[in-house]
Structures are given as C-alpha cells and as structure tokens.
Amino acid sequence: MTHFQLEKLPEINSKYSMFSTFTENAECDAEFLFSAKDNLTSSEFETCAGSDILRGYRPVFDATPISRMKEKGGFLVGKTNMDEFGFGTFSTHTTFGVPKNPFDTNRSCGGSSGGAACAAAVFDGHVALGVSTGGSIVCPASFCGVYGLSPSYGRVSRYGLIDYGNSLDKIGLLSHDAYDLGKYLPVISGKDPKDITSCVQPDLKTGKGKIESVAVPKEAVEGSGISEGVMKAFEKSLETLRSMSVDVEYVSMPSLKYAIPAYYVIATSEASTNLARFGGMRYGQQDGDLSLGFNEYFTDFRSKYFGEEAKRRILLGTFTRMVGYADKYYNKALRVRMAVINEYKKQFERFDSVVTPTMPFVAPRFDEISEMSALDAYKADFLTVPPNLTGMPHLSVPCGYSDGMPAGLMFTSDHWNDSSLTHMAEKWSDSFESVHAEVSL
Amino acid sequence: MKIGLEIHVQLPTASKMFCSCPTTGDDVPNSRICPVCLGMPGSKPAINRNAMILGLKLAKLFGCKIPETTWFSRKTYFYPDLCKHYQTTQYDMPVGEGGVFYLGNKPIGITRVHLEEDPGKTKRVGEDSSLVDYNRSGIPLAEIVTEPDLSTPAEARDFLSELLKEIRDVIDLPDNGERSVRCDCNISVAKERCEVKNVTGLKNVENCLKFEMVRQMKTIKSGGKIKRETRRYDEETKTTTSARSKETEADYGYIGEPDLGIYHIRKMADEIVLKESPLKKAERFQREYGLNAKTAKQLASAPSGLSDLFESLCGECDVHTAVKWTEGVISANWKSVVSEDVVPDIVETVGKYHAGKITDTECSIKLKTIMTGSEADSAEENCDSDLTSLVNEIIDANPSLVEDYRGNDKAANSIIGTVIKQTGGKYSSAEVVDAVRKSIELRL
C-alpha cells in the first residue's frame, strides 16, 4: 500500500470489505504499511476475530508479530476480515463484512484470511499478516492471485493470536510482491518466551535454501475433483518448473486422504476448548441477562452471539474428546497426523518439496457458496489440509488464470525449511508474469 | 470404611504457574493479574520451572515412578472463577505415580502427584450476586491423590498431619497460612463413595469425615442408599450437604495442552537432591546415633538448624551429652538465636564441658549468654583486659585480700565467685581463676 492509497482506504474498503477496522490516519511517515488478520490482538484496534461475541473488544497488548513489525518501522493500517475464529474457507462466516474478490466482486476471496489476501491483492507494497490453521493463508492467496506463505509451526510466535487449534495455528504473510515474503519472514519469526512453542526453532537458514526437485502426489491430482481450468494451470506450472531446471516426479502418498478427517477432529477438539472462555464476563459483548444464573447466562449468551459454524465446530469438537469417544476420534486423529508427517518425511528424503494445486477450483461465486453444504466446504480443503496437519511450511504462488480468475500452485517443504520457500517465491515471480487485479473506483 | 484424600498444596513459588504475576503480596482483589492468568484471548501460558521442580520433589518424596516425559491437559468445565473455562492440569501423564507414605508402619498408597493451576475465588455478595477475585488464578498447585487406604477419620487426620510435616520440610512450605492446603475427602462406609470438596485444616478434615461416616451409616441402617455425589462441608455446623451429583470424568473432555508442549523431566528429576524429611532423618538418627524412637523423632522434627546442631555436637562429645544439651538449654533458647554465627560457639562450649573444663552450671550460663544475644553483646565489649580490670577493681576495694592470700590461697575464692557472677558466665571459671591469681600475685 502506498501512502497515497491510505487516503482512499475508506472508499476502497467500502467496495471490497477487506478491513473490519482501519486507521483514520491518512498520513503517516512509516517505513512500510501492513495489516493484520483480526484474530491477532492489537492495542490500537478492536480485535474480534470475526466474531460477534468479541464485538467491542480492545486488547491491552499487541500480538508478538504485530509488535515486531512495528519495531521494524511498520505502520498497522487495520485489521482484516475473516471467518469467525478462522472457521471457514470463504470468509463468509462473519458479520463484520465479507471481503470481495478483487478480480470479480461477486466471488469470494477465500478464507479464512480472506481480508488479508484481498488487501495484499489490492494495495501495492502492502504486506498482510495472515493466519493458517488448515489452509487459511494459501487458500485466499490462491483465490486472490497473491503470494502466501504459511511458515513452519513454531517459526512465528503465536502470542496474541486468538486461538483456533493451538497445535495447528501458524502466522504467516501474504503479499502481491513475492520478495516481501523473504523480507518480512525474518522480522516476524524468532523465539519468543511468551510462546514456548516458538522457542525450539532453528535458524532461518536451516535446510538447503532452494528447491531443485519436487514430488507430485498422484492421489492429490488424479480423479480428485480438481477443475479443468485449475488442472490446466497446474500442468503448465510443472512445465515452468522444469524450465527452471527443477526435477518433477509423480509419487504416491496414500495417507493424504486421511488428513481431512484427522484435521477436523483435532482442530475442532482444540477449538471447542479455546472457545469455552467466551462467556460474556470479561471482554467483548457483555449484555447478557444478569437475572439468570451463571450456567443459564453463558448458555444464553453463547447461543446468541456465536455464529452457526462456530456452534457446529464446538459441538463436533466437544463430542470427539469425550471419554468413550476420545480414543475413537481424537487419539486416533493424533496417530493419523503422525502417519501423514511420516509420509511427507519419506518424500523429503528424495525431493525438496511436494507440489499440488493450492485449491481444486478458482474462487467460487457467493451464490455457489451459499449452496454448498458444510461438508462440501470442508472437502474443498483437501489439498491445503495435509501440509497444515503436519506443521510443515507451505507456499502458494499465482500460477495461471482460468476465466480471468487466478489459480494457485502450492509448495510444501520439510519442517524449518522455510527459506527454500521464500527463495522459490522469488524465483517463481521472476519467471511468471502475474496479473494485478484492476481496482476501479 | 475406606477413606482417600486429594490434597491440594499451593506451591511456594514467587510467581504463578504460567505467568510472572506474584503469588503473594497485595491482597487488594484483582491486583495481581495479567492477560495470561485472566485467560484473555491471545494470551499463552509459559511454564514456571520452579513449580515443576517442586512437583518433582514431592513425587520423589513419595517414591513415585517419574515418567520420562510429562505434559499438561485441559480439563473443561464452566465456572466463573475459572477464566478459560478449562483448567490447565495434568491428566494422562502426571509428574509422579504409584508412591507410598508410611503412617507409622502402615503404608498409605499415593496414587499420583500432579501439577495444576489454582482457579480464582468467588465471593458471595448479597442474595443473588457474586464477585470474583483472580489473584489466586494461576497459583501453582500440587495435587496429591491417595489410595483409599485410610480407615478412620482420626487416622486421616494423623496422616494429613504427618504428610504435611514432611512436605513443609521438603519444599520449604511456610506454615503461616500464606499458602493454602485444601483437601477433597472421599469416604465410603459401604460401596458407594461421596466426595466432600475443599476442606481446609486438620480438624475440619477429621470432623467432616466423622460427620460423613455417621451420616452414611445412618442412611444405610435406615434402609437408604448412598448416592455417589459431591458434598460441601460447613465449618460452622460441622455438617456436610449435597452440592451436585458426581460428574464422571467424561464430562471434562480432557485433551493435551498444545501451548505447553512436552517436558523431558527424567534428567531434571535425577538431579534433584531431596532435603532429608523429618521422618527419614528420625530413622537415620536412630540408626546412626542409637537414639530411641521418641528422642529421634523429637530431634528430627525440631527446626532444621537445631537438628543440624545436634549432629555437630555429636562430633564434639558423646551422644548422651549432645542430646542432653540440645533438648535442654539449647532448645529452650533456640528461638532467641538470631544468627547461625553462634553455632560454633555453642559447639565449642559444650565441647569444653565435655572435656571437663567448665562445670554444668557454667556451661548452662554460657550457652544462654551466647544464644540470647543481648547479654552476649554487652559481654562482647569486655575483652580479656576487662576481666583483668574488673578483677583489679575488686582487689582495690578489698586490699586486705592480698595479705590473706599470702597466708592461704583459698582467700581468692571469694573474688572468683564475685567475678563469675558479675561477668554472667562469659568467662570460664578456669579463666577467672587464672586472672584473679595473676592479679593478686602481681601485688605480692
């Protein structure tokens, strides 16, 4: 985002709804401008994570990645719209504003970091902080035709992130400029004693640093319902990779198909405990009926303010961790996660990265989305969920266009090999001419 | 009758379990809180290493099996004093399992020792509202769960009393009410058990169990059935009342706490050297010094400095003498000792007594002086030359003495007595005798 565009922010936002809240400051002399997904706490803006239950909540502290960006001279422009608590693939599960795709405003930006991808696509030189649990960075990056990086789990401190699934959540970057990923990843990453899962990470230089060979899992691309347009763009991308002297080979990764059920069990189990704290007592909305007893109060309150998808995931997650069911679901899902990790590790003995299309289709229209069942929507994440389940870093780059809508190519590398991905993003952008969405006002 | 206890001990760490808020200090409600112990969205727990060490010390005290790795879990339940609506506790891999504690010769099984956070405190205000104070939220707790091996309320009380003595010593738990110890008491007279939550104090534990015992027996006698339930104890009326029907574990929906990760605790546990507990010390005293059980126990459960002193004395004299002085004058005056610096003086004095250099009375007077400090301070100012000048003063006042001495050296005895009295036992009789003789002889 240039400082010039800051002036036009209200106007642009009224068209695209990428921000839930943003600065009124039209002038600033910061070194660079950035935005943050609205589940990252910020002391100067309300932080609601797309949920009505948190409406009006102004945290007392900045999330670590936000304060690190500020320390580097960044100015936080605003908070980007998202699915409630990250629960969604199209950023439609929210009442704060559904972000519209810059390529076609009748279409979704993807989710759950939809607002972040939209801002990254629309504003030049703007870097957006996104969050991914099951694909929430690469999905919208793919739909909006921008670069999106979801780093290794534990690379970026989650202090200040309003949790969805703590063992899955990763904070990453989205930008129109591939070089921003390598530029800002060192800024937001690093050990933070406030999030001890960030304290075991090795140096960013870990690994080979570049990708010279990739594996394409047959199970992911053959007969899996990938649209023709996306498949075409994908095949062309493999050609491009070969022309960049990257070895491409088809492999078999049979356990990938178990990733989706395992992911939804783990993510919802964790989410249902994370959401337990929202009871209308200390933050966010507090207008429940005080004449009720405590149990009735929070039941009433939560029924009123949680969205439908949040309720669905609380119910699912509560069920899967009950005694008698935990072994059947939650504990089994943990074992599946290990199996999927091992499947990837096996490929990384021979290849530097695994590639697939990011999403099986281009950004759908809102009317198409309204006809999808919850299960249809969950299934749309079958390509992005596996790397997220493993905690491995992954990257989406724009790789082609189908009916004028962008398609994405996803690279997944081994744990801590984040720099091989930022390097690939740069190399890719040197050889692929991406289309900049035209923003008309 | 079977009785089992779940004992919650607030661990004496400076900061809370998962944040850096102080555990003690300002009692103004909600003055020692932060985003972490308030469970604010976005906050994350960071473990207090010291709490882990104290938990491991307790596990070691009971000889528990300590696992290679341990982790924390989320126990979900909705209650206003629990900020996150889940308690961070340990479920499937506690710091210790399968230990034992001997009450006399009777082994009481310790099922497990685990760590968890204390919730806040609710305070009833008026008829239909409550206030919550989160100062307590996040204070580290160790929960010690026993097997139902206790058979009477009195035995439960004795057990708790002995156990606490040991714990206080091993983890330096102060006994001034600053850290709370709360018990959940499980009791069954027949098959089904009831749990009485949150009972504080030895007497209350015993009384609550007594009441429950009688209640359950009466219920059965009159043909009723004991319902499995959670009950509440009223300290005023010494009765228990039904709180809610017992929730089964299932309702808590435990899952691992991903934000805290997995801890490899074996090495940490191996490196911990336990301070000797009073019980173990008593056993050793019996073994090493041949003390009888009663004396050994008395000495071992004395303040640790005193029992250490006893051992030092044993190096200077025979055990009998060491016991005599430790249990006598020394323990009587132990409270007035302000600094450990006096210990060598005490040892030296008893040593002199043992060597026959000073009499029983002299030793006793000297020990008192050393230990009570104030007289010792004034005596400190008199050095050897003061002794000489005091002696000279007395001789000056009684010039005839010198002549008497010439005829019979026992004439000096009257002065010697006076000097010893006036110097309050600071100098040994040998020293005084020496000084008096020297001064008189100089005048001859």
Side-chain angles (χ1 to χ4, degrees):
Chain A
M1 192 184 300
T2 60
H3 294 188
F4 167 72
Q5 283 172 307
L6 207 49
E7 248 173 71
K8 291 192 169 174
L9 205 55
E11 216 177 326
I12 297 175
N13 196 56
S14 66
K15 186 168 178 197
Y16 296 100
S17 303
M18 62 275 274
F19 290 106
S20 58
T21 166
F22 55 86
T23 181
E24 288 170 9
N25 201 345
E27 275 172 52
C28 93
D29 51 7
E31 276 180 44
F32 64 95
L33 306 177
F34 73 102
S35 63
K37 189 174 178 178
D38 198 31
N39 51 359
L40 292 165
T41 58
S42 54
S43 48
E44 72 268 51
F45 293 111
E46 274 186 20
T47 299
C48 307
S51 181
D52 267 343
I53 213 160
L54 274 174
R55 204 176 274 277
Y57 174 54
R58 178 89 169 269
V60 294
F61 61 99
D62 274 340
T64 299
I66 290 183
S67 54
R68 286 187 174 166
M69 290 291 260
K70 285 181 180 171
E71 278 161 27
K72 275 282 162 184
F75 176 71
L76 179 61
V77 171
K79 307 298 290 296
T80 53
N81 276 320
M82 57 182 285
D83 286 295
E84 181 173 15
F85 295 112
F87 300 155
T89 308
F90 306 111
S91 299
T92 47
H93 298 300
T94 178
T95 58
F96 287 78
V98 175
K100 317 238 171 10
N101 198 299
F103 287 84
D104 175 356
T105 52
N106 290 317
R107 290 174 186 266
S108 166
C109 286
S112 64
S113 310
C118 184
V122 169
F123 300 110
D124 282 330
H126 170 91
V127 62
L129 293 177
V131 178
S132 175
T133 306
S136 288
I137 288 176
V138 288
C139 160
S142 162
F143 283 177
C144 294
V146 297
Y147 291 83
L149 174 70
S150 180
S152 302
Y153 177 82
R155 179 60 87 190
V156 179
S157 167
R158 289 177 295 115
Y159 194 79
L161 167 65
I162 298 180
D163 310 299
Y164 166 3
N166 314 52
S167 74
L168 296 156
D169 296 340
K170 297 151 298 270
I171 295 160
L173 300 161
L174 298 98
S175 177
H176 188 73
D177 183 351
Y179 283 80
D180 274 355
L181 304 183
K183 187 172 165 191
Y184 293 108
L185 181 63
V187 175
I188 58 170
S189 60
K191 298 177 184 180
D192 173 14
K194 287 176 173 169
D195 169 15
I196 57 169
T197 61
S198 74
C199 294
V200 293
Q201 62 177 293
D203 195 85
L204 263 177
K205 290 189 193 94
T206 302
K208 198 164 147 191
K210 55 180 168 181
I211 293 168
E212 288 170 329
S213 58
V214 297
V216 181
K218 279 184 246 170
E219 291 80 359
V221 292
E222 283 169 9
S224 54
I226 294 176
S227 80
E228 212 183 298
V230 168
M231 206 56 214
K232 234 184 200 162
F234 178 67
E235 273 157 7
K236 203 159 167 235
S237 302
L238 297 183
E239 283 312 308
T240 312
L241 282 175
R242 288 191 187 99
S243 75
M244 290 160 67
S245 21
V246 173
D247 289 332
V248 180
E249 206 175 298
Y250 281 82
V251 298
S252 176
M253 293 178 73
S255 72
L256 292 189
K257 62 175 173 289
Y258 303 114
I260 283 263
Y263 165 78
Y264 275 98
V265 168
I266 294 171
T268 58
S269 294
E270 292 179 9
S272 63
T273 60
N274 287 323
L275 266 51
R277 75 186 66 193
F278 301 107
M281 273 183 67
R282 287 177 303 274
Y283 31 74
Q285 303 268 25
Q286 291 175 44
D287 61 345
D289 181 355
L290 288 173
S291 70
L292 298 171
F294 176 72
N295 286 345
E296 292 74 30
Y297 174 87
F298 81 75
T299 307
D300 188 56
F301 183 86
R302 288 160 66 88
S303 307
K304 186 167 157 196
Y305 288 117
F306 275 138
E308 193 194 345
E309 187 57 28
K311 286 176 189 162
R312 180 180 293 117
R313 295 198 191 197
I314 290 170
L315 290 175
L316 269 174
T318 305
F319 173 74
T320 50
R321 59 188 167 83
M322 303 287 265
V323 168
Y325 298 102
D327 277 335
K328 209 167 151 192
Y329 297 105
Y330 184 69
N331 296 331
K332 195 186 229 175
L334 294 178
R335 289 195 296 275
V336 171
R337 171 192 268 185
M338 281 315 297
V340 176
I341 289 174
N342 291 334
E343 182 102 75
Y344 273 96
K345 290 277 183 196
K346 215 174 89 196
Q347 298 305 331
F348 293 137
E349 287 170 11
R350 292 174 54 214
F351 303 96
D352 298 330
S353 202
V354 170
V355 299
T356 65
T358 309
M359 293 302 286
F361 40 71
V362 294
R365 287 195 315 274
F366 290 113
D367 60 319
E368 292 168 332
I369 292 167
S370 62
E371 275 164 27
M372 283 187 196
S373 70
L375 198 60
D376 290 336
Y378 292 1
K379 279 196 206 149
D381 297 339
F382 78 93
L383 295 166
T384 62
V385 156
N388 276 280
L389 190 63
T390 64
M392 288 168 180
H394 51 286
L395 163 80
S396 180
V397 301
C399 73
Y401 299 86
S402 167
D403 298 329
M405 294 306 293
L409 172 69
M410 183 172 72
F411 294 85
T412 303
S413 289
D414 201 358
H415 289 132
W416 310 120
N417 281 246
D418 308 69
S419 56
S420 73
L421 295 175
T422 53
H423 179 260
M424 172 50 81
E426 291 166 12
K427 260 181 75 184
W428 183 266
S429 77
D430 291 346
S431 50
F432 179 83
E433 189 77 28
S434 65
V435 177
H436 202 158
E438 278 190 38
V439 179
S440 56
L441 285 170
Chain B
M1 179 168 37
K2 284 181 174 175
I3 295 172
L5 300 176
E6 290 165 30
I7 305 145
H8 302 256
V9 181
Q10 282 190 338
L11 297 174
T13 55
S15 58
K16 291 185 178 179
M17 184 94 194
F18 300 118
C19 63
S20 54
C21 288
T23 51
T24 55
D26 203 341
D27 279 334
V28 175
N30 297 311
S31 60
R32 289 181 273 121
I33 51 171
C34 75
V36 176
C37 56
L38 276 183
M40 303 279 268
S43 66
K44 304 276 179 290
I47 191 140
N48 181 338
R49 191 184 151 85
N50 199 20
M52 182 69 94
I53 290 173
L54 295 180
L56 285 172
K57 279 186 174 174
L58 292 178
K60 278 187 101 156
L61 170 66
F62 305 126
C64 287
K65 215 172 79 206
I66 293 169
E68 182 61 44
T69 55
T70 191
W71 56 81
F72 289 85
S73 293
R74 296 176 170 187
K75 175 182 180 178
T76 316
Y77 63 94
F78 289 79
Y79 205 71
D81 62 12
L82 189 66
C83 310
K84 305 185 295 291
H85 291 158
Y86 61 78
Q87 184 187 27
T88 307
T89 177
Q90 295 195 295
Y91 179 58
D92 36 14
M93 201 54 93
V95 289
E97 275 182 298
V100 68
F101 183 83
Y102 282 90
L103 180 60
N105 293 321
K106 183 178 176 183
I108 306 295
I110 302 293
T111 318
R112 55 192 266 140
V113 176
H114 74 245
L115 294 166
E116 61 186 25
E117 56 178 345
D118 215 347
K121 241 183 202 164
T122 45
K123 198 180 158 191
R124 202 105 189 122
V125 180
E127 271 298 296
D128 44 26
S129 62
S130 292
L131 294 174
V132 193
D133 175 6
Y134 293 103
N135 281 348
R136 200 177 73 178
S137 172
I139 288 183
L141 290 180
E143 181 171 336
I144 301 156
V145 183
T146 76
E147 292 292 315
D149 291 343
L150 298 158
S151 20
T152 64
E155 190 179 65
R157 180 195 174 137
D158 285 348
F159 166 77
L160 190 57
S161 157
E162 291 294 299
L163 183 91
L164 284 177
K165 242 184 250 164
E166 294 279 292
I167 291 176
R168 289 197 193 286
D169 212 66
V170 166
I171 61 169
D172 290 315
L173 187 69
D175 192 10
N176 56 6
E178 184 191 270
R179 314 280 168 168
S180 83
V181 176
R182 309 190 293 273
C183 270
D184 295 344
C185 309
N186 289 279
I187 172 168
S188 60
V189 166
K191 255 188 190 159
E192 199 55 274
R193 72 184 161 97
C194 290
E195 181 178 26
V196 188
K197 285 255 185 215
N198 249 330
V199 188
T200 330
L202 298 176
K203 225 201 216 147
N204 288 328
V205 167
E206 188 180 5
N207 285 339
C208 128
L209 285 168
K210 268 188 191 158
F211 178 86
E212 255 312 288
M213 173 180 76
V214 174
R215 184 190 70 88
Q216 292 188 11
M217 289 196 297
K218 274 187 184 162
T219 309
I220 291 165
K221 217 171 169 185
S222 64
K225 237 182 155 183
I226 304 297
K227 255 198 336 212
R228 180 167 180 156
E229 61 178 357
T230 300
R231 300 179 68 85
R232 197 181 287 130
Y233 180 64
D234 185 330
E235 291 181 17
E236 299 283 309
T237 59
K238 297 191 176 64
T239 57
T240 67
T241 48
S242 178
R244 60 188 146 95
S245 57
K246 175 76 185 161
E247 286 167 51
T248 55
E249 295 276 274
D251 294 338
Y252 293 126
Y254 287 95
I255 59 166
E257 168 54 88
D259 284 340
L260 285 167
I262 290 171
Y263 298 87
H264 294 260
I265 50 172
R266 212 33 176 286
K267 196 165 158 261
M268 199 182 202
D270 288 346
E271 280 167 5
I272 290 172
V273 181
L274 272 201
K275 230 166 83 181
E276 194 176 31
S277 72
L279 214 73
K280 296 248 163 65
K281 195 183 265 184
E283 282 166 14
R284 183 169 62 83
F285 280 6
Q286 275 183 268
R287 204 171 54 236
E288 257 175 49
Y289 302 112
L291 300 180
N292 63 42
K294 193 183 155 212
T295 311
K297 198 175 164 191
Q298 259 168 11
L299 284 172
S301 42
S304 66
L306 193 54
S307 55
D308 289 348
L309 176 60
F310 163 73
E311 295 201 71
S312 306
L313 289 180
C314 288
E316 286 288 315
C317 59
D318 63 274
V319 173
H320 176 76
T321 309
V323 171
K324 175 188 149 186
W325 289 103
T326 311
E327 294 204 313
V329 178
I330 298 177
S331 88
N333 291 286
W334 187 250
K335 275 196 179 132
S336 14
V337 170
V338 277
S339 154
E340 298 254 322
D341 296 350
V342 301
V343 167
D345 286 347
I346 295 174
V347 175
E348 196 196 329
T349 307
V350 177
K352 274 184 186 164
Y353 165 83
H354 182 65
K357 284 185 189 155
I358 53 174
T359 64
D360 199 286
T361 321
E362 284 163 359
C363 183
S364 168
I365 293 171
K366 181 144 192 190
L367 286 175
K368 273 184 209 159
T369 314
I370 294 170
M371 294 174 73
T372 50
S374 60
E375 277 170 89
D377 282 347
S378 64
E380 200 95 21
E381 288 156 22
N382 310 324
C383 44
D384 266 351
S385 63
D386 292 329
L387 177 62
T388 317
S389 59
L390 178 68
V391 170
N392 282 330
E393 248 173 63
I394 296 168
I395 300 174
D396 287 349
N398 303 284
S400 63
L401 254 171
V402 183
E403 285 310 307
D404 294 349
Y405 184 82
R406 218 189 279 275
N408 182 356
D409 60 6
K410 286 208 172 109
N413 287 2
S414 67
I415 305 186
I416 292 167
T418 315
V419 174
I420 288 178
K421 236 183 237 164
Q422 289 196 11
T423 51
K426 180 171 190 274
Y427 304 101
S428 73
S429 50
E431 283 170 321
V432 176
V433 169
D434 203 41
V436 170
R437 283 182 201 279
K438 263 188 201 153
S439 296
I440 296 177
E441 271 158 27
L442 278 175
R443 297 176 189 225
L444 285 176

